Amino acid sequence: MSNPKPLNDPVPLIDPELLSILGNPLEPDRPPFDLRGEYLVCTKTGVGFPIVDGIPRLLPEDVIPAEKMEELLNERH
């Protein structure tokens, strides 16, 4: 029987396996994402997509421009 995780361990917003296969749908070469808080951020362009209830919202209308994404991430620190 495995030990339960402590309650204060952060729960990932998205499954790491899923993250490893996702790519930016707005780019032809589908560059990978970095998980940054509650956002997926494209490693190539810096644009972001929100994660809502553990589900990445990768539709074009959900994209957050790179400049805005940088502002959002800087506000968190």
Side-chain angles (χ1 to χ4, degrees):
M1 188 167 168
S2 65
N3 292 330
K5 288 175 101 176
L7 293 177
N8 60 353
D9 273 5
V11 176
L13 286 175
I14 189 168
D15 184 285
E17 211 171 307
L18 176 59
L19 180 61
S20 73
I21 61 173
L22 291 177
N24 183 346
L26 303 180
E27 293 294 315
D29 58 343
R30 310 264 308 174
F33 289 114
D34 282 334
L35 179 60
R36 305 282 304 272
E38 61 229 18
Y39 303 99
L40 293 179
V41 180
C42 177
T43 59
K44 178 180 176 183
T45 64
V47 300
F49 293 88
I51 301 170
V52 179
D53 295 327
I55 300 169
R57 299 190 55 161
L58 300 177
L59 298 173
E61 58 264 24
D62 294 320
V63 70
I64 302 167
E67 300 80 26
K68 179 66 177 172
M69 196 69 246
E70 190 173 323
E71 288 174 25
L72 289 169
L73 294 173
N74 286 334
E75 288 174 3
R76 297 174 44 134
H77 291 95

